[in-house]
Amino acid sequence: MLSFPLVSICVPVYNDGDTIAETLSSLVSQTYPNTELIVCDNCSTDNTGDVVRAFEGRGVRYHRNDANLGPFPNWNRCIELAKGDFITIYHADDIYDAEIVRKEADFLVAHPAAAAVLTMDRWIDGNGKVIGESQLPASLKGKELLDFVDVFSVLLKDGNTFLRCPTFMIRRSAIEQAGVFDPVLEPFRSARDVEYYLRILTHFPIGILDEKLVRYRISMSQGTADSIHLRTWIGDHFSVMDLYLAAPEAQGKIAPEALKAYELSKKVDLLFRAANWTLKGNSTEAGKLLAEARAGLP
């Protein structure tokens, strides 16, 4: 007899009235036979609620928070509302392949040791035009289960180009052990999803399907857009990497070339931030970062 564990498809929203209908249309059309679809509205001030309510007759459950919790606490609220054995956190402005839930759930059923699974994606602009796509790093290809060292080594060398946040499906039992997303803004800010994936990996392996099963919308109106515009603080990614470099799981297990590449990327980030301080007219702060970048160089 085939097993179809309940999958809770969770969609946190905030002022996504322009895109949520297309997202929900793709999710109510999933081929997997046992789902619940929950939209958790973080006090939108646009027409998001009206758009979502139009889908309630198609199996969508709408919840509106009493107050705006902030993005990641709203993700955690989604998890609290979910009843499924498997739980997704999908995004309210992306478009999902009809097979994504089935393929991710099938992976977790077939790999009981895996805590979670993600997929690759294509990127679209605000008009839905495909403008690029993600690629699974060569060192991860062909591996059904990925452990902490597998994933962390690539993050150190290349940054996060492959843990595609809006494709995330996790096993409820893994949440019970690893916890939920860190609700506190500092120090991880927009990289709190990466911190969570690494925290999971300190307990369990994960899987990444080398298939592009979502069209990921790229827009300067997204919540992380400020991370790439005149940023002068340390990149969110580095706060997470520094934390897990000190973790027992990393000690003596990371290849020297990965560590060297990471240190170089930190110096590049210092130069980026120094340039932004200069553009903002603060040569004193720019000078401090340039001096830090030169430290240790011959």
Side-chain angles (χ1 to χ4, degrees), residues 18-134:
D18 291 342
T19 59
I20 186 63
E22 194 169 15
T23 298
L24 292 180
S25 292
S26 70
L27 292 175
V28 298
S29 301
Q30 291 294 306
T31 62
Y32 187 77
N34 190 18
T35 64
E36 63 169 0
L37 209 167
I38 305 164
V39 176
C40 195
D41 188 347
N42 212 12
C43 294
S44 294
T45 58
D46 67 355
N47 66 334
T48 292
D50 293 333
V51 176
V52 176
R53 288 188 188 96
F55 283 84
E56 287 182 321
R58 302 173 68 182
V60 175
R61 178 153 55 101
Y62 176 66
H63 170 84
R64 182 179 172 89
N65 296 330
D66 294 331
N68 189 306
L69 306 176
F72 284 89
N74 192 37
W75 294 17
N76 291 337
R77 183 66 178 130
C78 287
I79 292 171
E80 291 176 4
L81 294 169
K83 300 176 183 177
D85 301 296
F86 304 155
I87 300 169
T88 78
I89 301 292
Y90 289 166
H91 288 187
D93 57 353
D94 299 326
I95 305 168
Y96 290 85
D97 185 283
E99 294 284 286
I100 186 171
V101 172
R102 181 183 67 79
K103 289 184 175 182
E104 290 192 319
D106 285 353
F107 178 89
L108 291 181
V109 169
H111 300 84
V117 61
L118 303 96
T119 82
M120 296 290 93
D121 57 6
R122 289 187 172 85
W123 313 328
I124 59 175
D125 63 16
N127 298 316
K129 179 183 177 182
V130 175
I131 56 176
E133 60 183 27
S134 60

Side-chain angles (χ1 to χ4, degrees), residues 20 36 54 70 78 146 149 161 167 189 250 272 274:
I20 186 63
E36 63 169 0
C78 287
L146 305 174
V149 173
T161 61
T167 72
R189 298 173 62 92
F272 172 80

Side-chain angles (χ1 to χ4, degrees), residues 16-278:
D16 291 301
D18 291 342
T19 59
I20 186 63
E22 194 169 15
T23 298
L24 292 180
S25 292
S26 70
L27 292 175
V28 298
S29 301
Q30 291 294 306
T31 62
Y32 187 77
N34 190 18
T35 64
E36 63 169 0
L37 209 167
I38 305 164
V39 176
C40 195
D41 188 347
N42 212 12
C43 294
S44 294
T45 58
D46 67 355
N47 66 334
T48 292
D50 293 333
V51 176
V52 176
R53 288 188 188 96
F55 283 84
E56 287 182 321
R58 302 173 68 182
V60 175
R61 178 153 55 101
Y62 176 66
H63 170 84
R64 182 179 172 89
N65 296 330
D66 294 331
N68 189 306
L69 306 176
F72 284 89
N74 192 37
W75 294 17
N76 291 337
R77 183 66 178 130
C78 287
I79 292 171
E80 291 176 4
L81 294 169
K83 300 176 183 177
D85 301 296
F86 304 155
I87 300 169
T88 78
I89 301 292
Y90 289 166
H91 288 187
D93 57 353
D94 299 326
I95 305 168
Y96 290 85
D97 185 283
E99 294 284 286
I100 186 171
V101 172
R102 181 183 67 79
K103 289 184 175 182
E104 290 192 319
D106 285 353
F107 178 89
L108 291 181
V109 169
H111 300 84
V117 61
L118 303 96
T119 82
M120 296 290 93
D121 57 6
R122 289 187 172 85
W123 313 328
I124 59 175
D125 63 16
N127 298 316
K129 179 183 177 182
V130 175
I131 56 176
E133 60 183 27
S134 60
Q135 299 292 337
L136 188 65
S139 63
L140 303 183
K141 287 183 177 291
K143 294 184 177 182
E144 289 198 329
L145 294 179
L146 305 174
D147 63 20
F148 176 87
V149 173
D150 291 329
V151 173
F152 191 52
S153 296
V154 179
L155 289 172
L156 289 170
K157 288 169 60 179
D158 302 320
N160 182 24
T161 61
F162 62 99
L163 295 172
R164 308 308 295 163
C165 181
T167 72
F168 179 62
M169 180 184 289
I170 186 169
R171 199 182 298 273
R172 175 178 294 278
S173 59
I175 296 173
E176 292 170 354
Q177 185 161 344
V180 295
F181 293 92
D182 189 338
V184 180
L185 179 62
E186 301 291 351
F188 307 129
R189 298 173 62 92
S190 66
R192 281 177 283 180
D193 55 336
V194 177
E195 187 282 322
Y196 188 44
Y197 305 149
L198 288 173
R199 186 170 5 125
I200 291 166
L201 281 159
T202 65
H203 298 281
F204 312 99
I206 67 169
I208 301 178
L209 303 181
D210 195 7
E211 298 183 63
K212 296 168 180 62
L213 299 176
V214 63
R215 282 172 284 167
Y216 173 72
R217 196 179 305 273
I218 295 177
S219 168
M220 286 306 293
S221 65
Q222 290 170 324
T224 56
D226 64 345
S227 295
I228 59 173
H229 181 63
L230 294 182
R231 173 174 58 80
T232 54
W233 59 88
I234 185 170
D236 304 338
H237 173 78
F238 298 108
S239 298
V240 176
M241 295 299 100
D242 288 346
L243 173 68
Y244 282 95
L245 272 171
E249 292 78 10
Q251 301 309 301
K253 299 176 183 177
I254 306 301
E257 57 267 27
L259 297 173
K260 186 175 181 179
Y262 177 63
E263 289 305 314
L264 178 60
S265 69
K266 291 182 78 172
K267 289 189 178 295
V268 171
D269 188 66
L270 286 167
L271 295 175
F272 172 80
R273 292 156 56 201
N276 284 341
W277 273 124
T278 300

